[in-house]
Amino acid sequence: MDEKPDTMSRSQRRQKVITDDDRILYLMDEISRGARRVYDARVARIGLNQTQWRIIGQLLRDPALTQAEIAKKLELESATIGQVVAGLCARGLMKRLRAETDRRAWQLILTEQLDDLLPELRGSADRLQDLLWRDIAADEKRTLQQILERVSKNLDQLRAEAE
């Protein structure tokens, strides 16, 4: 008995499971992971790994974040972030102090020694950005940013409903 017609219909059914919206999300994830891998390779030359530079990046965006808040944002276990922060402190790139508002929380403070690395970090990011955004006009980037901000807002609403 020829199974080809059944195989074709199964294949067609499977193809319909993945929608264009799914493909967009997969593409966004692939771009994000790929960009992180490229940046990882660049900043590894100055002795930082992905978790370290992501923690630093969170603090540059919002210096008031506690260690626990950063762990939540980066989806890291407390022990993992604790070890990484201890390493950054040992290198003199940040200090860890008890938060004044909650003595159980750790406040992370970037040091002047980190400021010395910022031009290299920025330069690596700029070179990556130049490659990623090559042949993309400023108005296209603005439109993409606006769309992604709306998608992010929708996601925030879904998270709030789930909690």
Side-chain angles (χ1 to χ4, degrees):
M1 177 176 235
D2 186 10
E3 293 185 29
K4 199 166 193 162
D6 185 41
T7 303
M8 292 289 282
S9 64
R10 183 180 312 137
S11 175
Q12 290 170 342
R13 284 192 310 266
R14 288 179 179 170
Q15 287 177 359
K16 289 181 181 181
V17 170
I18 304 296
T19 67
D20 286 343
D21 289 344
D22 295 325
R23 288 180 184 89
I24 292 170
L25 290 176
Y26 292 144
L27 184 58
M28 288 178 358
D29 186 52
E30 288 175 14
I31 292 167
S32 178
R33 283 185 293 115
R36 278 196 308 266
R37 280 193 301 270
V38 170
Y39 192 70
D40 285 348
R42 293 175 187 269
V43 299
R45 295 180 207 139
I46 59 174
L48 292 176
N49 64 38
Q50 182 181 110
T51 306
Q52 291 171 324
W53 68 254
R54 289 182 71 204
I55 291 169
I56 291 167
Q58 288 293 321
L59 287 170
L60 289 170
R61 289 175 64 198
D62 186 353
L65 290 174
T66 65
Q67 183 172 312
E69 291 166 335
I70 292 172
K72 186 176 179 180
K73 283 182 174 286
L74 297 180
E75 298 179 346
L76 295 171
E77 296 294 326
S78 296
T80 301
I81 195 167
Q83 290 173 337
V84 174
V85 166
L88 289 167
C89 290
R91 283 189 60 188
L93 300 177
M94 74 173 46
K95 294 178 187 175
R96 178 167 44 185
L97 305 170
R98 288 288 178 192
E100 290 183 21
T101 56
D102 181 354
R103 302 304 290 167
R104 297 168 295 170
W106 289 106
Q107 190 67 50
L108 304 176
I109 300 159
L110 300 174
T111 66
E112 288 182 27
Q113 192 170 338
L114 175 76
D115 291 341
D116 295 339
L117 290 179
L118 290 179
E120 282 185 80
L121 291 172
R122 181 71 259 157
S124 293
D126 289 343
R127 286 187 294 281
L128 175 61
Q129 299 285 357
D130 289 344
L131 292 171
L132 289 175
W133 298 110
R134 183 178 45 213
D135 300 327
I136 298 174
D139 61 326
E140 291 175 303
K141 286 170 49 176
R142 275 191 301 278
T143 300
L144 177 60
Q145 181 176 358
Q146 291 167 351
I147 291 167
L148 292 176
E149 286 171 352
R150 290 194 331 247
V151 170
S152 180
K153 184 178 177 183
N154 293 341
L155 181 58
D156 287 344
Q157 290 174 343
L158 287 171
R159 283 189 199 128
E161 291 170 10
E163 292 176 354

